[in-house]
Amino acid sequence: MENESVLPRSDRLDWDHYFMALAVLIGARSPDPNTAVGSVICGPNNKIISTGYNGLPVGVDCKAINWSRDNKDPLSTKYPFIIHSEANAILSTNEDLTGSTLYVNLHPCNQCAQLIIQKNIKKVYYLKNPYKDTWQVKAAQMLFKWANIEVTQFVPKVPKIEIDFGV
């Protein structure tokens, strides 16, 4: 038995599953009751550079706004006040993001695409694109194409990943 070789785990997550799972988990910190979005930015060596989730600016109480999606008065919705997860991840680091990869659980909008391009992020993996027919996502796709940013929908090989805290 002493010379028996032990093999590594066969169910180990690959890097893409690992980072996308983290993006989903980070999104769970969002106070948004409708849309929880998380982002992970990693470098070419698979080192996590930054993370972010959609929420309000630092110091603004989550209870200060109406989290509604629809209202005649735009100031009675969440939209004028929310910082998207991609923007939060970009703003949360001073590191050079050139050549990095962004994992996000929703396809970026046009404004986030502008930030991604401006910071020289070269790859974007997204999980879902429920707003694909909106002008914001269509503009983002155009921007990404013009800037030669590789954008790929992440298709998980497993339906879910469970976290057991062992308690």
Side-chain angles (χ1 to χ4, degrees), residues 74-140:
L75 295 177
S76 292
T77 70
K78 63 183 179 178
Y79 298 111
F81 310 106
I82 290 291
I83 300 174
H84 288 182
S85 71
E86 304 94 322
N88 263 332
I90 289 168
L91 291 167
S92 293
T93 185
N94 291 322
E95 285 194 46
D96 182 8
L97 300 180
T98 300
S100 62
T101 301
L102 170 76
Y103 291 83
V104 58
N105 56 322
L106 284 185
H107 192 290
C109 71
N110 62 306
Q111 290 179 323
C112 289
Q114 293 167 358
L115 295 173
I116 290 164
I117 293 165
Q118 204 68 5
K119 294 304 280 185
N120 293 308
I121 295 170
K122 289 299 174 194
K123 292 182 186 177
V124 175
Y125 289 97
Y126 68 92
L127 186 58
K128 299 177 188 175
N129 192 1
Y131 307 110
K132 65 180 178 257
D133 295 324
T134 66
W135 67 264
Q136 292 92 338
V137 169
K138 288 179 181 181

